[in-house]
């Protein structure tokens, strides 16, 4: 049986990582072979790039290219081999995050992101795209409060202001409108239990 590629997206503080971890355990309990991974990261080189991306000031286009360089390594080393072996790949973020953060948040031209996407993921029928994307949508002020409550030191993205996250949120919602067949928008303000009921329903019906 062919593998499945599922991605989790949302602004910082939307709770996506908690739901990602839950989904991985849910699918494993169902007997699927699951690769749990994340971006930026997922490989030894990708994790080093993540360290730089989250801490070093850099030019916006450098940032976008490093995101896609880490992604290329992730695809070649982890995602494509796992899918070819029939495994489920569940990734905490993928390319939609680049369109949302570098595109929406920072204002990088969509055409440049599309070029990087085509280069790294291929084009046409052979292009790698998620089968299903969960977008955890949350009011920016609530997400900021949640982040503060976690008490961790804010990274370079988390330090951005409200208007940056408003643009990221809107760019995610625009992506969901552009690709309705693979996106499922989840109200991240609902209770954790009700979100898990919904995720179970969706994953069972779609995959
Ligand atoms: P995380 O906190 O969800 O692990 O993600 C790390 C940060 O990286 C997060 O603030 C979003 C950012 N990011 C981008 O800006 N572009 C991307 O393509 C990806 C994958 C993440």
């Amino acid at each position: 049986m062919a593998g499945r590629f599922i991605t989790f997206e949302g602004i910082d503080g939307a709770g996506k990582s908690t739901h990602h971890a839950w989904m991985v355990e849910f699918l494993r309990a169902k007997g699927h072979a699951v690769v749990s991974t994340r971006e930026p990261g997922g490989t030894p080189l990708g994790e080093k790039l993540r360290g730089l991306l989250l801490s070093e000031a850099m030019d916006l286009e450098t940032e976008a290219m490093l995101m896609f360089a880490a992604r290329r390594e992730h695809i070649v080393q982890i995602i494509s081999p796992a899918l070819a072996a029939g495994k489920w790949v569940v990734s905490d973020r993928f390319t939609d995050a680049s369109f949302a953060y570098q595109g929406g948040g920072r204002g990088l031209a969509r055409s440049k992101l599309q070029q990087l996407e085509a280069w790294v993921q291929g084009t046409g029928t052979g292009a790698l795209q998620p089968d299903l994307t969960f977008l955890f949508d949350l009011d920016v002020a609530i997400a900021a409060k949640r982040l503060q409550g976690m008490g961790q030191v804010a990274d370079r993205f988390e330090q951005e202001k409200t208007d940056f996250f408003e643009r990221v949120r809107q760019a995610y919602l625009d992506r969901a409108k552009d690709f309705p067949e693979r996106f499922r928008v989840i109200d991240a303000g609902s209770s954790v239990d009700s979100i898990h009921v919904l995720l179970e329903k969706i994953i069972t019906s779609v995959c």
Side-chain angles (χ1 to χ4, degrees), residues 12 16 39-40 50 54 67 71 93 97-98 101-102 157:
D12 294 84
K16 132 197 92 54
E39 288 203 354
R50 178 188 177 90
L54 297 195
M67 288 290 179
R71 181 161 299 132
R93 298 197 189 279
S98 300
Y101 281 78
Q102 282 66 54
F157 292 97

Side-chain angles (χ1 to χ4, degrees), residues 8-13 16-17 38-41 50 53-54 63-64 66-68 71 91-103 106 113 147 155-159 164-165 168 172:
F8 281 62
E9 300 283 359
I11 60 171
D12 294 84
K16 132 197 92 54
S17 300
R38 70 171 180 179
E39 288 203 354
R50 178 188 177 90
L53 281 159
L54 297 195
E63 180 179 292
L66 284 182
M67 288 290 179
F68 275 93
R71 181 161 299 132
S91 187
D92 189 339
R93 298 197 189 279
F94 191 62
T95 301
D96 296 308
S98 300
F99 281 91
Y101 281 78
Q102 282 66 54
R106 300 227 197 274
L113 291 162
L147 270 185
D155 66 36
R156 204 163 64 82
F157 292 97
E158 290 164 349
Q159 286 168 14
F164 173 86
F165 286 107
V168 173
Y172 267 133

